Amino acid sequence: MSTDTATPDAESDPVGYFLDDITYHGKSDRTRASYERVLRDFESYLADGHQAIPIREASHRDCMAYVHSLRGNVEESTVATYASYLHRFFAYMTQVGVFESNPMTLVMEEMDESINTDPTRREIDLQSMRAFVDSIPHPLEQAIVVTLLKTGMRAGELCNLDIRDLNLETPGPRPEIPVRAGLDGRPDSLFVAAEPTHGETSNEEERTASNKRKRETTVPIDAELGSVLRRWLAIRPDTQSPAEPLFVSTSDSWGERLTPNMVHHIVESHAREFGWYTDGGGAEENVTPHYFRHFFTTHLRDRTGDRGVVKYLRGDVAQDVIDTYTHEWGTRVRDVYEAEIYSLL
């Protein structure tokens, strides 16, 4: 972080101006340092070129050339992260009227990595989704919806979560079960495995759902999700399952692991009350558990510009990419997630 005490001027030091603003907006010191490292490196790149230009005059070709210069020196996932930082910088400076345009818009379009396509769906803004979440009084049902919205996981993956897959730094009431080894040193996180399959036994319990991830994933938990999970754990019924599922029924199948049909029914019942679900309506109209995956993908991708991180969190990436994100989970995935995940409560 810069140690200057004077407030940077937007004209003479736009990078410093931007860094101060994101600090005022509550970004962590680590996030600020990550932005500063990339933006100052880009400034140096522009200054060392055949025609030294200030960052405010960078064109989309300058940006593309810089991104291209990174390839071969760093991982492709790092290239995507650097590009997303530039994109956020230029977008913000354009929005506040300091710059005239964002040259990274075209660059990001050209770099676009496809994420699983979804049909055209109902558009729900963040304010409406917050009202929806606020309308759900039951701790289990709210925890289900917030988990789906905050992580982008599938309903089956949520059902397959066991207590051992949750590591809360402030655990609250929960069975005394050690977390998975993969969660050691990773507080406030969920482990989404790749192996549970419908009809097969995992952690001493036959499963009713399948996970469809290419690889296991460690997903950050922010303060809001941590809060609703602790609230749920405070009333979670005891279960006969040796696997100690995280989410269990509080109705007819008391204490039994939730199934995808149960999750779908819970989401459907609340969506109907909001006019977001009608019999005969398709994916374009109805809000289902899978809609929350679409919402997560769209909103987090647009907020971060980092498709690599979003694909990692969704479990849609190959081994080499996931190895990179797993290795740098504490500095890259966590930073991007904490900086950009939307508030729901």
Side-chain angles (χ1 to χ4, degrees), residues 61-104:
R61 290 181 63 86
D62 296 319
C63 294
M64 184 66 81
Y66 172 71
V67 170
H68 179 70
S69 74
L70 298 172
R71 295 193 169 97
N73 298 316
V74 296
E75 297 288 341
E76 277 299 312
S77 54
T78 302
V79 175
T81 298
Y82 280 27
S84 72
Y85 285 174
L86 288 178
H87 180 54
R88 293 287 293 171
F89 165 72
F90 280 107
Y92 181 81
M93 299 302 282
T94 302
Q95 186 176 8
V96 298
V98 177
F99 292 176
E100 292 183 1
S101 62
N102 179 1
M104 281 298 296

Side-chain angles (χ1 to χ4, degrees), residues 170-202:
T170 306
R174 59 166 278 173
E176 294 298 323
I177 298 171
V179 299
R180 281 181 179 262
L183 290 180
D184 283 345
R186 295 181 175 183
D188 290 330
S189 55
L190 277 167
F191 183 94
V192 187
E195 74 276 0
T197 302
H198 174 73
E200 295 187 359
T201 299
S202 176

Side-chain angles (χ1 to χ4, degrees), residues 228-264:
V228 298
L229 287 174
R230 281 188 288 271
R231 179 171 175 246
W232 154 241
L233 287 170
I235 68 158
R236 173 183 173 274
D238 292 334
T239 177
Q240 296 300 313
S241 168
E244 290 285 355
L246 177 57
F247 294 109
V248 298
S249 176
T250 57
S251 55
D252 294 340
S253 302
W254 181 266
E256 294 183 11
R257 182 185 298 274
L258 291 184
T259 66
N261 283 341
M262 293 177 185
V263 173
H264 190 282

Side-chain angles (χ1 to χ4, degrees), residues 60 63-64 67 71 80 83-84 87 102-115 301-302 305-307:
H60 84 275
C63 294
M64 184 66 81
V67 170
R71 295 193 169 97
S84 72
H87 180 54
N102 179 1
M104 281 298 296
T105 300
L106 182 58
V107 177
M108 297 303 291
E109 290 176 358
E110 292 172 357
M111 289 179 65
D112 185 31
E113 300 171 21
S114 63
I115 292 178
R301 181 185 58 199
D302 290 349
D306 192 330
R307 288 164 174 79

